[in-house]
């Protein structure tokens, strides 16, 4: 391994450690109360050293948010790869997204604040996540069309419509605001949307 490769690996590993430490502190004391000095202290380094890897606290916030949303998108991609009917995969995908987000944003309330701000302010990582999820959903819809489960339509547009219709079950602010509204349930709304695809 060359010196340059070793240096790149060390830099990558340090960035991961910074993000993991920030994530842990955000869960404990909240992202707004956590400072770069707190993160540096936990890692046994100076704040100036942290700034060698991230230019600002906002960059650290974005990296933590990207990691959280990346876990959801990875779970969705895993579901999309299953060899089961498309409707079953869409049901599993939206149920899993709702469960993961409920755990994070109602149990881990301090993380809720970070992701809610990211969504409200439309951070770049949110745009990337939405596009990635739309692509996963579009792939399932296209496969459902190829299998004869769904009628012929534009899979990308259908995915965007379905994803938008289901946002109440994934957007942290809407999940909290709608938690006292028993209907429509996720299953009711998804059944309605799937009927539009058939």
């Amino acid at each position: 391994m060359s010196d340059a490769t070793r240096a790149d690996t060390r830099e990558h590993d340090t960035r991961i450690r910074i993000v993991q430490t920030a994530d842990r502190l955000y869960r404990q004391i909240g992202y707004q109360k956590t400072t770069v000095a707190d993160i540096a202290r936990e890692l046994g380094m100076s704040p100036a050293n942290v700034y060698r890897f991230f230019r600002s606290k906002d960059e650290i916030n974005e990296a933590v948010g990207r990691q959280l949303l990346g876990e959801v998108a990875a779970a969705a991609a895993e579901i999309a790869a299953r060899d089961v009917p498309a409707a079953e995969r869409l049901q599993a995908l939206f149920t899993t997204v709702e469960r993961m987000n409920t755990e994070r944003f109602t149990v881990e309330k301090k993380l809720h604040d970070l992701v809610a701000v990211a969504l409200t302010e439309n951070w770049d990582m949110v745009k990337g996540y939405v596009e990635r999820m739309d692509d996963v959903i579009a792939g399932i819809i296209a496969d459902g069309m190829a299998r004869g489960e769904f009628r012929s339509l534009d899979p990308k547009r259908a995915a965007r419509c379905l994803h938008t219709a289901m946002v109440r079950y994934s957007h942290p602010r809407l999940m909290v605001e709608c938690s006292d509204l028993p209907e429509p349930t996720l299953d009711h709304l998804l059944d309605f949307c799937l009927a539009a695809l058939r």
Side-chain angles (χ1 to χ4, degrees), residues 73-93:
E78 185 179 309
I79 291 166
R82 295 177 184 168
D83 187 20
V84 296
E88 189 175 320
R89 283 179 278 164
L90 289 171
Q91 176 76 39
L93 184 151

Side-chain angles (χ1 to χ4, degrees), residues 19 53 58 67 146 154 157 183-184 186 188-189:
V19 171
F53 299 95
D58 287 344
Q67 176 179 286
D154 177 347
R157 181 177 296 144
E183 291 192 344
L186 182 144
H188 292 155
L189 188 54

